[in-house]
Amino acid sequence: MAAGDTDDGPIAEAGEAAATLRERYDELRRIESRIDDLGRERVEAAADAYRRAHRVLDQYEEDAVGTGDFGSYVQFRGEFADAVDVGDGALAADAFDAADGAVDKKRLSEGDFDAARDALDPAGEYVDLLDAYDDAVDAYRIARKEAKAAKKDLDSRLDELRSVAEMADADLDVDVDRLREPIEAYNEAVREAFASFYASASAREVFAFLERADGTPFVDVDVPPTDLADYVADYEAGEEPLPTLVEYADYSNSKLDHYVDDPGALRTAVAVHRTYIERLDGEPLTLDWPPAGGDELGYEIDELIPLVSRVADDETVATLRSVRELAREDDYERLRRAAEVRDALDDAEVALIERGVVDERVKEAERTRSIVEDVLAETERT
């Protein structure tokens, strides 16, 4: 279960993302409506004329003022007249006429160019309007993307909350340590016992133990590869502990001749399976946490006891038996269910159960998701 927060960030974030999307969509529609009322082609024409006029002013200002280059002056007047020639029905037509009038002189000064720019200002509104539209489209797209991402996170959180709600039947007031402590004590002891057995017993004894364990349905061990098992069974070196065989595999041939009859056979069988040998441990003999149901756990322990008795001391076996006794008690399922829930949930989600607000939080998430879905549908642009 992913970590959660009692404030349920995904719910709040999805609601905020939907509100932001609504705002961005409404702003975009307001700008679109303004452009539609004016006529998009007319707005774009006015903006284009404004930009052309400014480019001409910027290009010729230095050469066409005062007693400068007469050719530049003539060229400027012609290009500027073309730039502001928008027709009487165009948007900001008066502004373009006024700008043309500001430079309709035989000799031009920098002030005339400034006056022409000032006269063009009303037409600049349409450049700003188109820029605002582009910005609004970008903001809308970002908001929509974020709203979709927030909905995805909310969907995941809702699934989590529903899973928490399904676990709300657990009695979290029970003392789970009654079950945890003996299982942890047993697991630690059996790991140590197997490690000691592995280090001291002959390879044949260890493999025989693994073969026997493999015959029990509840104990999942890795049986030795066939060629390694055959070597251990057929060669005298099989009387040595597995760590010793691994150590032998590192010896030089001349040194190894003093310890085994057939150095090549040892290298072929042991060296290639070194990883398998070194990974053997007592983990298959441990009990899961949370533990299985009472009947299943009882059967598992019944199978484990004769195996564990071969490698561990009486105290470890007694601890294992005590867990079996717990599994037979009337309140075991209550303990196991509480352990299962506490293991599956984080502290914040456990707190939701303890406070009795899980169902309320599920409904809140469902309401928010419905709102986000509505907003996404209502703000979709075709």
Side-chain angles (χ1 to χ4, degrees), residues 70-269:
F70 182 72
S72 294
Y73 166 81
V74 172
Q75 192 168 357
F76 161 71
R77 284 296 298 128
E79 290 188 21
F80 191 74
D82 288 341
V84 298
D85 184 14
V86 296
D88 294 339
L91 296 174
D94 291 345
F96 291 114
D97 285 342
D100 190 40
V103 293
D104 188 12
K105 299 178 179 181
K106 293 181 179 180
R107 178 177 293 180
L108 296 173
S109 66
E110 291 181 359
D112 296 325
F113 276 77
D114 291 340
R117 290 189 179 92
D118 291 341
L120 287 169
D121 280 349
E125 170 191 343
Y126 304 108
V127 175
D128 294 340
L129 184 59
L130 292 176
D131 288 345
Y133 171 78
D134 290 339
D135 290 343
V137 169
D138 290 342
Y140 161 80
R141 288 173 177 167
I142 292 171
R144 189 167 182 84
K145 181 178 179 181
E146 290 177 348
K148 287 182 176 179
K151 179 185 175 296
K152 185 176 180 180
D153 291 342
L154 176 58
D155 287 340
S156 296
R157 181 56 179 156
L158 180 54
D159 288 342
E160 291 175 359
L161 287 170
R162 285 171 174 165
S163 295
V164 175
E166 291 175 357
M167 298 182 186
D169 63 311
D171 181 2
L172 299 182
D173 292 329
V174 299
D175 183 11
V176 175
D177 286 341
R178 280 190 59 216
L179 191 55
R180 184 196 306 277
E181 289 176 357
I183 288 178
E184 288 183 349
Y186 163 74
N187 285 346
E188 182 179 356
V190 81
R191 288 189 188 101
E192 292 176 358
F194 184 85
S196 178
F197 172 68
Y198 170 86
S200 59
S202 71
R204 288 176 188 168
E205 290 179 276
V206 174
F207 283 2
F209 176 85
L210 294 176
E211 290 289 349
R212 180 176 179 182
D214 186 52
T216 58
F218 286 97
V219 182
D220 186 18
V221 298
D222 240 350
V223 295
T226 302
D227 56 334
L228 178 60
D230 289 345
Y231 175 81
V232 166
D234 296 341
Y235 285 81
E236 186 178 346
E239 292 294 332
E240 299 290 347
L242 285 167
T244 300
L245 295 185
V246 172
E247 183 181 347
Y248 283 170
D250 289 332
Y251 287 178
S252 66
N253 285 335
S254 59
K255 183 176 181 180
L256 194 53
D257 274 335
H258 298 292
Y259 295 94
V260 297
D261 295 334
D262 189 340
L266 182 138
R267 290 189 186 282
T268 300

Side-chain angles (χ1 to χ4, degrees), residues 1 3 14 19 23 33 69 102 110 131 161 184 296 298 345 347:
M1 182 71 64
E23 291 173 2
S33 179
D69 184 351
E110 291 181 359
D131 288 345
L161 287 170
E184 288 183 349
E296 182 178 340
L345 306 182
D347 291 343

Side-chain angles (χ1 to χ4, degrees), residues 14 19 26 39 71 81 85 99 156 179 186 215 237 250 275 277 287 305 343 365 374:
D26 289 347
D85 184 14
S156 296
L179 191 55
Y186 163 74
D250 289 332
T275 299
I277 296 172
L287 299 175
I305 286 175
D343 186 71
D374 288 345

